[in-house]
Amino acid sequence: MTRDRDDAAPPSRRPEQKPATVAPGRVKEVTSVSNPIVKDIRNLALKKHREETGLFLAEGLKLAIDALDAGWQLETLIVARSQLHNELLSKTAARAVSVGADLLEASDKVLAAIARRDNPQSAIGVFRQKAVRAERIDLGRDGLLVVLDRVRDPGNLGTILRTADAAGARGVVLVGECVDPFSLEAVRATMGSIFSVPVARMDEPAFLAMRKGFGGLVVGTHMRGETDYRTPAYGKGATMLVMGNEQSGLSEPLAGACDTLVRIPQVGRADSLNLAVATGLMIFEARRGSLKL
Ligand code: SAM
């Protein structure tokens, strides 16, 4: 195990556009937020840098362990040096090194700067993103696929991924210009489900083409839907559940591609439900026959 000094010159970038980093599986102490490695990691808060590098950040020891268990590629694990007495943290740090990840033992100040939070976690992982093809998501005989039209809010997306995971949906497809599922806020809101739910992205024409070849039930949600959301015969075969954008709802082409448009009845003054809440109700209704205590 090699220990490099914080003020050592950063090694040159690797060919696959990883941020400046130490050699694989090596350990480095960092105490300065202006260290170039820390700067590169902090830049992953920006979509541009996530796209350029194909990497993203996940905060928290539990998330790092979940991701490693699920086989995600860990590039760098940043751990709080002050908390290395914690057995689980030090074991995970050793595991990170054993899978070839870089280990940064950081000061609390550095961890707080990366997480941009007052109560930073003891560990932050830099992971490689996975690209999933929607056509490859296996719906089996009666699986559920959640389709989101231009979802914009990272908290909504993260909450939906967490809910899809909890209810056993097979995957989530993001159609059109959507928020990045690998943004810090979205990953945070998934509470780890980003590592267990396949997420695919496609544009609207590609989705409409995929829908043409889909033999199951396609249920859209719409504020002008004329069918109660509890009516469709969910679970008899594979189902796609199509949810609209937070501001403008479902696009006309997507609404037109659905077998039925349903609505969740409301009383009171609210025009509509929050997207994540509506999606949660829909997912659990669609999965009702498969979920048991
Ligand atoms: N102004 C938008 C409209 O008229 O469609 C409201 C969009 S709503 C905030 C976002 C999405 O949540 C909707 O497109 C729909 O998918 C879902 N949604 C919200 N409330 C719903 C309800 N009562 N019934 C069915 N879907 C609902």
Side-chain angles (χ1 to χ4, degrees):
M1 207 154 69
T2 311
R3 272 176 205 278
D4 296 328
R5 289 288 314 274
D6 188 22
D7 53 1
S12 57
R13 285 172 189 270
R14 293 193 191 146
E16 74 265 34
Q17 276 197 291
K18 267 189 73 173
T21 186
V22 293
R26 284 173 57 187
V27 180
K28 184 174 171 68
E29 289 176 25
V30 279
T31 53
S32 164
V33 293
S34 53
N35 182 303
I37 298 172
V38 176
K39 277 190 175 166
D40 275 345
I41 292 173
R42 289 183 74 187
N43 273 338
L44 292 174
L46 304 173
K47 188 174 178 206
K48 177 174 172 279
H49 287 272
R50 289 194 299 276
E51 282 174 358
E52 275 172 17
T53 59
L55 303 176
F56 71 104
L57 292 174
E59 302 161 311
L61 181 56
K62 178 191 172 291
L63 259 64
I65 295 170
D66 286 354
L68 283 166
D69 288 347
W72 283 65
Q73 190 179 332
L74 177 63
E75 299 283 338
T76 304
L77 186 70
I78 306 120
V79 294
R81 197 165 163 60
S82 62
Q83 292 181 49
L84 276 172
H85 53 84
N86 174 320
E87 202 183 322
L88 190 57
L89 183 64
S90 61
K91 270 191 183 160
T92 308
R95 184 176 173 192
V97 174
S98 76
V99 297
D102 302 332
L103 181 69
L104 298 188
E105 295 180 356
S107 63
D108 291 350
K109 200 172 71 189
V110 166
L111 269 153
I114 293 172
R116 293 158 202 253
R117 276 181 148 188
D118 293 337
N119 58 339
Q121 305 278 350
S122 60
I124 300 175
V126 178
F127 290 93
R128 186 152 293 282
Q129 299 178 18
K130 277 188 195 173
V132 175
R133 287 179 57 83
E135 299 81 357
R136 289 278 180 89
I137 297 175
D138 179 16
L139 293 185
R141 199 181 55 77
D142 58 0
L144 177 68
L145 187 67
V146 180
V147 179
L148 303 176
D149 176 19
R150 296 162 296 145
V151 57
R152 301 318 294 253
D153 183 283
N156 278 344
L157 177 54
T159 304
I160 291 169
L161 290 174
R162 182 179 178 184
T163 309
D165 181 18
R170 298 295 182 94
V172 173
V173 176
L174 306 178
V175 178
E177 273 296 302
C178 288
V179 64
D180 181 5
F182 296 110
S183 73
L184 206 51
E185 296 83 353
V187 171
R188 212 176 254 167
T190 72
M191 297 294 286
S193 295
I194 185 74
F195 297 116
S196 47
V197 178
V199 181
R201 302 188 237 196
M202 62 202 319
D203 60 19
E204 192 177 82
F207 174 75
L208 292 172
M210 184 176 90
R211 189 272 171 266
K212 273 198 185 132
F214 177 70
L217 177 68
V218 182
V219 177
T221 49
H222 205 287
M223 300 317 295
R224 292 196 303 280
E226 287 184 354
T227 304
D228 184 296
Y229 79 113
R230 292 161 289 199
T231 306
Y234 303 107
K236 301 267 184 270
T239 303
M240 281 191 195
L241 189 58
V242 191
M243 305 299 302
N245 165 268
E246 288 95 338
Q247 268 79 47
S248 55
L250 210 51
S251 75
E252 287 296 327
L254 288 191
C258 295
D259 293 316
T260 179
L261 292 178
V262 302
R263 183 156 44 97
I264 302 163
Q266 292 182 214
V267 293
R269 294 188 57 196
D271 288 341
S272 62
L273 297 169
N274 160 276
L275 170 64
V277 170
T279 310
L281 286 168
M282 290 299 306
I283 290 177
F284 273 89
E285 184 59 30
R287 294 277 302 148
R288 179 189 290 273
S290 308
L291 299 173
K292 296 200 172 43
L293 266 190

